[in-house]
Amino acid sequence: MAQWTSAVGAAQLARLLTSQQDRPAGPGTRRPPAYRALADGVRLLVLEGRVPVAARLPAERELALALSVSRTTVAAAYEALRAEGFLESRRGAGSWTSVPAGNPVPARGLEPLPPEALGSVIDLGCAALPAPEPWLTRAVQGALEELPPYAHTHGDYPAGLPALRAMIAERYTRRGIPTMPEQIMVTTGAMGAIDAICHLFGGRGERIAVESPSYANILQLMREAGARLVPVAMAEGLAGWDMDRWRQVLREAAPRIAYVVADFHNPTGALADEDQRRRLVEAARSAGTVLVADETMTELWLDDVEMPRPMCGFDPAGSTVITVGSASKAFWAGMRIGWVRAAPDVIRSLVAARAYADLGTPVVEQLAVNWLFSTGGWEQAVDIRREQARGNRDALVAAVCRELPEWDFSVPKGGLTLWVRAGGLSGSRLAEAGERVGVRVPSGPRFGVDGAFEGYVRLPFTVGGAVAEEAAARLAAAARIVESGGTAGGEGPRTFVA
């Protein structure tokens, strides 16, 4: 049986390799042999995630024709890649990309830094901001006022409090997506929602198509569920979703589920336009794939941008798209309230399966979110969140540009993260060196499948002002450690009080 889960055509790979020729070489750099340059080009595409791991490469003759080189050159390049662990082959099955044995592969999500470490370490690992007060306190107070009638019940609401389900349905209806409360299930955060969906539709061994890169914690959740992840490479910068790639993967790999973050994608910040959304829904419907649309970032627009219709707006029958929302990013990570919008029969199945999971979501937190939705407090709180994130983004971008001008990124118009190509340095080594100088940053491979994106790091908009400047300075110190081969040169963590 073939080990590849997607394929890269000869013309597509030739275009990707040609784009690398615009990258300037360092002074005095010798031109390598043609086969070596080709092997290095493919290796870099794999490490950057532009060609997914486990992608079938074109046959030697096809690629030679597309690149206008000899077949001997391609054969030598493939042999070099096999020797280095970046290519595997099997007679009759072709050759597919891989990463060398022993390379760091993401094994955990992005857990928060312990509070006791915050005095000496700047945490850029977790994309979460402090609560937007006074709205958290007001919401909890409002929830306590509404609690007495519920306290006289058993307190178990597997589908969620009826009042909150109705409020969430009404909010979708106001967005132009007619929704009934029967189409809503309240969950324990977006993670709880996606976990329930994966267990209902995925099953151990099922294929799930994911963006490459994608949200690290969700990738790990799917791995733990026993899914076979099928990465679909994102386009460069903020261009986002390559529909030709998506159609090919959905048609050939036939995944049971596809997971996408179309609204200010985590980690790249890309925003899918209406045409991309429509075409993605159509492709998923044609393939019989359940499309899970994660909307946790949808309200975090930071610049003047016209938001496209929700993904479910292109699925009027409700047979293809399942939407996931959450209060955790737009309001506060400690408010573990999420929800699923889907066809009523899907909601009934999810609710029935919940009896063997967490039974339900805490009542007081549901009442707090319902209070925010019903009083207008939500909109005012999210305005505070946008102002915080916008100021942090602008401060972090300016500081990184000043301290690390060779790092490359596109500034997103929303969301909470900056996806940065680290000037040719290893993201894993930067993360390790960052721990030594007092800045915690997640490496790119955490957001890929099987070790891709080694040359990237993710920077969240969680610090601003002087803390952002200090974070960039510490990142620059970490970069110097990596460039010098690991010698600290007197660099070390400093206590920093904002």
Side-chain angles (χ1 to χ4, degrees):
M1 179 179 177
Q3 301 299 305
W4 51 273
T5 55
S6 62
V8 180
Q12 178 188 357
L13 183 56
R15 287 194 300 271
L16 292 171
L17 290 166
T18 301
S19 70
Q20 295 178 341
Q21 296 175 1
D22 296 330
R23 302 185 181 189
T29 301
R30 293 183 178 180
R31 184 179 297 275
Y35 85 91
R36 183 69 260 172
L38 176 55
D40 288 345
V42 173
R43 177 179 56 81
L44 183 59
L45 289 172
V46 173
L47 289 175
E48 289 185 341
R50 297 173 67 192
V51 169
V53 174
R56 187 177 187 272
L57 295 187
E60 295 171 2
R61 188 184 302 276
E62 294 175 0
L63 186 56
L65 288 172
L67 292 172
S68 298
V69 299
S70 71
R71 184 178 177 182
T72 302
T73 296
V74 177
Y78 277 17
E79 182 58 36
L81 289 167
R82 277 189 288 269
E84 295 164 5
F86 286 95
L87 196 69
E88 296 183 21
S89 303
R90 181 174 298 171
R91 185 178 297 277
S95 299
W96 56 92
T97 56
S98 62
V99 292
N103 262 36
V105 175
R108 297 180 299 168
L110 304 178
E111 66 280 0
L113 191 70
E116 60 269 19
L118 293 177
S120 60
V121 178
I122 299 176
D123 187 8
L124 297 181
C126 188
L129 289 162
E133 288 287 31
W135 294 105
L136 173 61
T137 299
R138 292 181 183 177
V140 173
Q141 291 171 341
L144 293 177
E145 292 175 1
E146 298 292 332
L147 182 60
Y150 295 94
H152 294 290
T153 73
H154 49 65
D156 287 334
Y157 297 88
L161 295 184
L164 181 56
R165 295 176 72 195
M167 183 60 67
I168 294 171
E170 180 185 336
R171 289 173 64 84
Y172 276 106
T173 300
R174 290 203 301 264
R175 292 171 67 189
I177 312 297
T179 303
M180 303 179 296
E182 292 79 8
Q183 292 178 263
I184 302 296
M185 181 178 83
V186 181
T187 62
T188 308
M191 294 287 289
I194 294 169
D195 182 58
I197 294 167
C198 288
H199 280 89
L200 179 63
F201 289 99
R204 185 163 294 275
E206 290 280 3
R207 290 176 174 174
I208 300 180
V210 294
E211 298 143 328
S212 184
S214 187
Y215 179 37
N217 287 340
I218 293 296
L219 294 180
Q220 186 60 20
L221 181 154
M222 292 174 176
R223 292 187 189 99
E224 295 291 338
R228 296 173 60 191
L229 301 184
V230 183
V232 187
M234 298 281 283
E236 281 290 297
L238 299 178
W241 295 260
D242 185 323
M243 289 302 107
D244 291 336
R245 293 180 186 176
W246 271 102
R247 275 198 301 269
Q248 182 181 27
V249 168
L250 294 177
R251 181 177 64 249
E252 296 180 359
R256 186 70 181 92
I257 301 172
Y259 169 77
V260 297
V261 186
D263 299 299
F264 307 118
H265 175 259
N266 185 356
T268 69
L271 175 66
D273 60 33
E274 292 215 357
D275 183 61
Q276 289 172 323
R277 295 168 191 242
R278 174 183 56 78
R279 294 170 65 189
L280 187 53
V281 172
E282 290 174 353
R285 184 183 297 118
S286 297
T289 297
V290 175
L291 182 60
V292 179
D294 187 334
E295 289 191 337
T296 55
M297 297 283 189
T298 191
E299 296 191 64
L300 290 176
W301 44 266
L302 306 181
D303 297 330
D304 187 13
V305 57
E306 183 177 351
M307 291 298 295
R309 279 184 293 168
M311 195 80 77
C312 56
F314 299 91
D315 181 37
S319 59
T320 299
V321 178
I322 297 178
T323 304
V324 171
S326 173
S328 298
K329 293 297 186 184
F331 185 75
W332 184 47
M335 187 67 76
R336 305 305 304 163
I337 298 295
W339 51 87
V340 177
R341 181 199 181 275
D345 62 319
V346 173
I347 294 298
R348 287 193 294 270
S349 297
L350 289 170
V351 171
R354 196 171 195 179
Y356 308 101
D358 62 356
L359 293 178
T361 302
V363 170
V364 174
E365 292 184 25
Q366 292 187 71
L367 289 172
V369 172
N370 191 59
W371 184 92
L372 288 166
F373 284 158
S374 61
T375 63
W378 177 268
E379 285 72 23
Q380 296 185 63
V382 173
D383 281 343
I384 294 173
R385 170 66 76 243
R386 292 192 193 105
E387 184 178 354
Q388 290 174 323
R390 185 184 302 114
N392 289 352
R393 178 197 63 181
D394 295 346
L396 186 64
V397 166
V400 172
C401 286
R402 181 175 58 254
E403 295 285 346
L404 294 152
E406 67 279 11
W407 286 20
D408 182 41
F409 53 85
S410 298
V411 181
K413 294 184 177 181
L416 289 173
T417 57
L418 199 65
W419 185 237
V420 181
R421 182 185 285 121
L425 301 179
S426 162
S428 298
R429 289 177 178 165
L430 279 169
E432 181 183 8
E435 297 281 352
R436 296 159 59 183
V437 298
V439 60
R440 183 172 179 262
V441 57
S443 63
R446 286 182 174 269
F447 303 89
V449 176
D450 293 336
F453 303 106
E454 183 56 53
Y456 288 78
V457 293
R458 190 195 73 170
L459 305 180
F461 310 145
T462 52
V463 296
V467 185
E469 294 178 4
E470 178 68 11
R474 295 186 186 188
L475 285 171
R480 290 193 293 271
I481 292 174
V482 175
E483 289 171 341
S484 66
T487 56
E491 306 281 5
R494 296 172 288 177
T495 300
F496 185 84
V497 180

